[in-house]
């Protein structure tokens, strides 16, 4: 049976095309060898479970590994210490070959698992676990996946406190050599609302966890390695490095998004219009088509993204400022909204600022903000819907005509509005006009290096062609000349000879319209509104 690209649950090397995890496993083993206790807290669908399963196999020659999954524990398992110990003992006996557990600890665990309440306190359990660690031929490593399932229960906090106490006294007593907890939330900063109190309390029973810096996202080289195995199976003739780089540009290596694009190119796109086979699908145009379909689909990752935006008004405001207003938002670790967004993988820290984690999230958020009910009823959006087909050519878009029509329409609709209104919303109105024109066939994103209050570069991918449009506020001829040079230099980066500028000029004596300027070997089409 052929392998497939997997986007659900954990990946299995024998069944799925996978990135080579060897280097990451080697790095994790260094941390385990040191005897550190640590957490793997990453965003949803970031490969945590796949990594834990692979790490358990990687360690088993040198360690006895107990791998548990709290997703298998029912709510009743956390009702009290007796129920928790009963469930934990049963799961440990299922996770480890009983012949590998020393005799007396094995008997005690079987006793605890035989009837609820046989062990009344966690002290009873840890006495047995410590005895196991003392008698084991190999150092014992404890792994627990999906710890988020337990984070709101007091008994779990007590369990962490016991692990912490044993870690502190590890030179005096036999205990787990290393403990690894995996989940979305950072267990080191566990917050729980106690029933008897109104405020949130911060509990840190896991403040012994070691920090580390292992990147679990996929690099372009990682993606190319995965695609090489696929290419050996199907011989599509794809340019491995170029395709891998293009996928990385859209995803920033977010594992689910990488696999989702690959799965679409492999299973969905071949045989559809313009893509008769896999060879046609595994192209830049195919990736553009795949991304366009993925950013509008329903899946749990996007549902989580939008849920968090709706749940945290401060987060919504921050993201709106970044995307629509072009504002710089500086990283603040004490901001709940920023911490939540970073924890769930929606934003990342770049130098001292926060930026959207990848282009696909960015496009999804742009759609969320731009395609609200309110915006879909604006005149400029309706014009884009009505006029879209006149801009579409067999080989791409007539970008000059798009700018020409936008200039006329914007002046007709908003020419008599206040300057402040236009400065804040000009960028948004152009994107509203553009969105229905490219919808279904193309994608757009904002180049984060140039996103600010005065300048924004929009990159449009449409039918394997790219268009760069610089949006800017007019600050005089000298400033505009510098902008022309900047755009010309920027076109070199994208290997383009033609670029576009859209300037929002609020001088009463302005001259609206289009003109063409030659800058070196670059042709710039400038539009002024």
């Amino acid at each position: 049976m052929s392998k497939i690209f997997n986007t659900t649950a954990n990946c299995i090397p024998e069944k799925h095309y996978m990135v080579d995890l060897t280097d990451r496993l080697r790095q994790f083993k260094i941390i385990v060898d040191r005897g550190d206790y640590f957490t793997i807290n990453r965003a949803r669908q970031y490969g945590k479970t796949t990594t834990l399963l692979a790490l358990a196999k990687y360690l088993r020659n040198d360690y006895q590994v107990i791998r548990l999954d709290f997703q298998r524990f029912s709510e009743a398992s956390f009702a009290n210490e007796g129920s928790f110990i009963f469930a934990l003992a049963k799961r440990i006996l299922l996770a480890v070959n009983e012949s590998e557990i020393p005799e007396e600890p094995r008997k005690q665990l079987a006793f605890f698992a035989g009837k609820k309440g046989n062990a009344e306190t966690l002290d009873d359990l840890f006495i047995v676990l410590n005895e196991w660690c003392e008698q084991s031929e190999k150092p014992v490593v404890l792994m627990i996946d999906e710890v988020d399932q337990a984070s709101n229960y007091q008994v779990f906090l007590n369990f962490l406190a016991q692990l912490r106490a044993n870690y502190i006294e590890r030179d005096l007593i036999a205990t787990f050599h290393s403990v690894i907890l995996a989940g979305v939330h950072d267990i080191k900063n566990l917050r729980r609302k106690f029933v008897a109190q109104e405020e949130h309390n911060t509990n840190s029973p896991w403040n012994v966890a070691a920090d580390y810096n292992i990147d679990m996202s996929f690099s372009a080289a990682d993606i190319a390695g995965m695609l090489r195995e696929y290419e050996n199976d199907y011989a599509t003739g794809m340019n491995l490095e170029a395709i891998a780089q293009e996928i990385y540009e859209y995803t920033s290596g977010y594992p689910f998004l990488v696999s989702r694009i690959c799965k679409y190119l492999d299973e969905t796109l071949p045989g559809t219009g313009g893509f008769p086979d896999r060879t046609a699908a595994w192209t830049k145009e195919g990736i553009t088509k795949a991304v366009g379909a993925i950013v509008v689909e329903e899946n749990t990752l996007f549902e989580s993204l939008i849920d968090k935006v709706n749940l945290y008004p401060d987060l919504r405001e921050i993201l709106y400022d970044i995307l629509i207003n072009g504002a710089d938002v500086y990283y603040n670790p004490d901001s709940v909204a920023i911490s939540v967004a970073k924890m769930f993988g929606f934003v990342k820290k770049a130098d001292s600022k926060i930026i959207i984690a990848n282009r696909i999230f960015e496009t999804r958020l742009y759609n969320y903000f731009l395609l609200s009910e309110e915006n879909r009823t604006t005149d400029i959006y309706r014009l884009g819907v009505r006029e879209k087909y006149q801009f579409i050519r067999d080989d791409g878009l007539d970008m000059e005509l798009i700018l020409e029509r936008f200039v006329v329409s914007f002046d007709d609709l908003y020419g008599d509005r206040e300057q402040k209104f236009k400065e804040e919303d000009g960028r948004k109105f152009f994107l509203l006009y553009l969105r229905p024109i490219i919808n279904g066939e193309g994608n757009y994103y904002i180049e984060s290096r140039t996103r600010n209050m005065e300048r924004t570069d929009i990159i449009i991918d449409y039918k394997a062609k790219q268009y760069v449009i610089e949006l800017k506020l007019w600050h005089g001829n000298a400033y505009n000349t510098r902008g022309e040079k900047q755009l010309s230099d920027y076109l070199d980066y994208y290997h383009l000879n033609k670029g576009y500028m859209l300037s929002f000029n609020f001088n009463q004596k302005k001259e609206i319209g289009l003109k063409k300027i030659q800058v070196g070997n670059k042709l710039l089409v400038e539009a002024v509104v």
Side-chain angles (χ1 to χ4, degrees):
M1 181 178 177
S2 300
K3 290 186 178 183
I4 63 172
F5 293 101
N6 182 42
T7 57
T8 58
N10 59 291
C11 290
I12 301 171
E14 294 76 23
K15 295 182 178 181
H16 304 132
Y17 293 110
M18 291 178 57
V19 162
D20 185 359
L21 299 177
T22 304
D23 186 58
R24 291 170 181 79
L25 298 179
R26 188 182 300 114
Q27 293 180 64
F28 276 121
K29 186 175 183 295
I30 291 173
I31 303 173
V32 171
D33 290 342
R34 290 199 307 250
D36 286 345
Y37 286 23
F38 61 99
T39 62
I40 300 177
N41 57 283
R42 291 294 185 274
R44 297 185 186 282
Q45 296 175 294
Y46 219 94
K48 298 183 295 296
T49 297
T50 297
T51 300
L52 273 189
L53 287 167
L55 183 58
K57 293 180 180 179
Y58 192 77
L59 295 175
R60 63 187 176 189
N61 288 336
D62 299 315
Y63 297 97
Q64 184 171 49
V65 179
I66 306 171
R67 191 184 62 81
L68 305 176
D69 186 345
F70 273 177
Q71 201 165 225
R72 295 179 177 274
F73 285 48
S74 68
E75 186 175 351
S77 300
F78 301 99
N80 53 57
E81 290 193 8
S83 298
F84 180 67
I85 295 167
F86 169 71
L88 194 68
K90 286 200 304 180
R91 288 296 170 186
I92 289 175
L93 291 173
L94 289 172
V96 181
N97 189 321
E98 290 191 18
S99 64
E100 297 177 359
I101 306 174
E103 182 178 358
E104 191 57 34
R106 183 176 71 246
K107 289 181 179 178
Q108 286 296 314
L109 288 171
F111 176 68
F112 294 159
K115 182 180 178 182
K116 290 185 181 180
N118 279 341
E120 296 183 355
T121 69
L122 286 169
D123 288 341
D124 298 331
L125 174 67
F126 272 88
I127 288 172
V128 174
L129 294 176
N130 292 347
E131 186 178 356
W132 178 357
C133 293
E134 184 177 21
Q135 297 178 15
S136 176
E137 294 181 0
K138 298 178 181 178
V140 182
V141 173
L142 175 65
M143 295 181 176
I144 304 178
D145 198 5
E146 299 291 348
V147 293
D148 303 77
Q149 302 293 321
S151 60
N152 202 41
Y153 297 104
Q154 182 63 55
V155 68
F156 174 63
L157 300 182
N158 297 343
F159 177 72
L160 288 184
Q162 288 276 6
L163 288 173
R164 176 182 181 274
N166 278 7
Y167 176 81
I168 291 172
E169 297 185 353
R170 63 193 183 282
D171 290 338
L172 303 175
I173 61 174
T175 188
F176 295 117
H177 177 79
S178 179
V179 175
I180 308 167
L181 305 182
V184 173
H185 295 83
D186 186 356
I187 304 301
K188 289 192 294 183
N189 299 295
L190 191 62
R191 284 179 169 84
R192 178 181 183 275
K193 186 174 181 180
F194 290 91
V195 175
Q197 299 175 349
E198 291 299 323
E199 73 279 4
H200 285 267
N201 285 296
T202 300
N203 307 277
S204 300
W206 201 238
N207 58 8
V208 296
D211 293 322
Y212 62 91
N213 185 26
I214 299 177
D215 189 359
M216 290 177 61
S217 62
F218 298 160
S219 66
D222 288 331
I223 300 170
M226 176 174 64
L227 294 182
R228 188 167 290 108
E229 182 182 5
Y230 177 86
E231 184 65 7
N232 289 338
D233 289 341
Y234 291 101
T236 69
M238 76 170 86
N239 184 328
L240 284 172
E241 284 69 27
I243 293 298
Q245 184 63 41
E246 188 74 7
I247 292 173
Y248 178 82
E249 292 292 336
Y250 275 108
T251 64
S252 295
Y254 197 113
F256 170 81
L257 297 177
V258 171
S259 296
R260 185 69 193 92
I261 290 176
C262 293
K263 191 174 184 67
Y264 190 93
L265 296 176
D266 175 48
E267 299 179 13
T268 305
L269 194 57
T272 63
F275 302 94
D277 51 27
R278 284 188 170 94
T279 296
W282 286 92
T283 58
K284 184 175 181 179
E285 186 175 3
I287 294 172
T288 300
K289 188 73 173 180
V291 172
I294 291 167
V295 295
V296 297
E297 71 180 8
E298 296 181 5
N299 60 54
T300 55
L301 183 60
F302 292 151
E303 288 171 2
S304 176
L305 171 62
I306 302 305
D307 282 348
K308 295 300 179 295
V309 174
N310 291 329
L311 185 61
Y312 294 93
D314 290 347
L315 174 60
R316 188 185 190 282
E317 183 178 346
I318 287 169
L319 295 177
Y320 190 93
D321 274 349
I322 293 173
L323 294 172
I324 305 301
N325 294 333
D328 289 332
V329 175
Y330 290 88
Y331 178 69
N332 176 8
D334 298 320
S335 166
V336 174
I338 291 176
S339 295
V340 167
K342 186 171 180 289
M343 178 175 65
F344 280 89
F346 305 146
V347 302
K348 59 186 178 183
K349 185 180 177 185
D351 297 325
S352 59
K353 302 175 185 177
I354 63 167
I355 61 174
I356 310 303
N358 56 70
R359 290 181 186 171
I360 290 181
F361 282 174
E362 184 173 281
T363 303
R364 184 75 178 210
L365 288 167
Y366 269 119
N367 289 346
Y368 169 78
F369 289 126
L370 293 174
L371 303 183
S372 66
E373 186 64 34
E374 176 186 1
N375 285 331
R376 288 200 304 271
T377 60
T378 60
D379 291 333
I380 197 73
Y381 179 80
R382 288 172 171 172
L383 275 174
V385 173
R386 189 160 62 243
E387 298 179 347
K388 62 175 295 184
Y389 293 108
Q390 66 180 295
F391 307 125
I392 298 173
R393 305 289 181 262
D394 290 339
D395 61 345
L397 295 172
D398 189 335
M399 191 58 64
E400 287 187 35
L401 185 58
I402 290 174
L403 292 177
E404 181 181 324
R405 289 296 304 147
F406 176 77
V407 167
V408 173
S409 300
F410 187 88
D411 189 62
D412 288 344
L413 293 171
Y414 308 114
D416 59 349
R417 297 293 185 94
E418 295 179 0
Q419 176 174 327
K420 181 179 178 181
F421 171 85
K422 289 185 293 188
E423 285 185 358
E424 292 178 348
D425 293 336
R427 176 189 288 107
K428 181 178 77 173
F429 283 167
F430 179 70
L431 291 174
L432 278 172
Y433 186 71
L434 179 67
R435 180 65 248 179
I437 295 172
I438 65 172
N439 191 39
E441 287 292 336
N443 313 294
Y444 67 91
Y445 61 92
I446 308 298
E447 175 51 61
S448 60
R449 290 173 293 178
T450 64
R451 183 198 287 116
N452 57 55
M453 299 295 285
E454 295 186 339
R455 177 188 172 202
T456 295
D457 288 324
I458 300 174
I459 291 83
I460 299 171
D461 290 329
Y462 192 90
K463 291 187 176 180
K465 287 192 172 183
Q466 282 191 315
Y467 308 83
V468 176
I469 309 173
E470 179 181 302
L471 274 60
K472 56 193 287 293
L473 297 179
W474 181 277
H475 288 294
N477 289 323
Y479 179 85
N480 198 56
T481 300
R482 289 198 302 272
E484 293 166 357
K485 180 62 169 61
Q486 287 174 336
L487 178 56
S488 176
D489 293 341
Y490 201 55
L491 290 174
D492 284 333
Y493 177 80
Y494 282 94
H495 308 292
L496 297 172
N497 292 319
K498 188 176 184 179
Y500 305 86
M501 295 179 68
L502 177 58
S503 298
F504 293 90
N505 188 339
F506 304 110
N507 297 330
Q508 291 183 351
K509 297 181 180 180
K510 66 183 178 182
E511 294 183 8
I512 68 171
L514 265 67
K515 62 178 180 179
K516 297 181 180 179
I517 299 175
Q518 194 76 32
V519 179
N521 65 338
K522 310 297 183 186
L523 177 63
L524 306 184
V525 179
E526 294 192 20
V528 178
V529 295

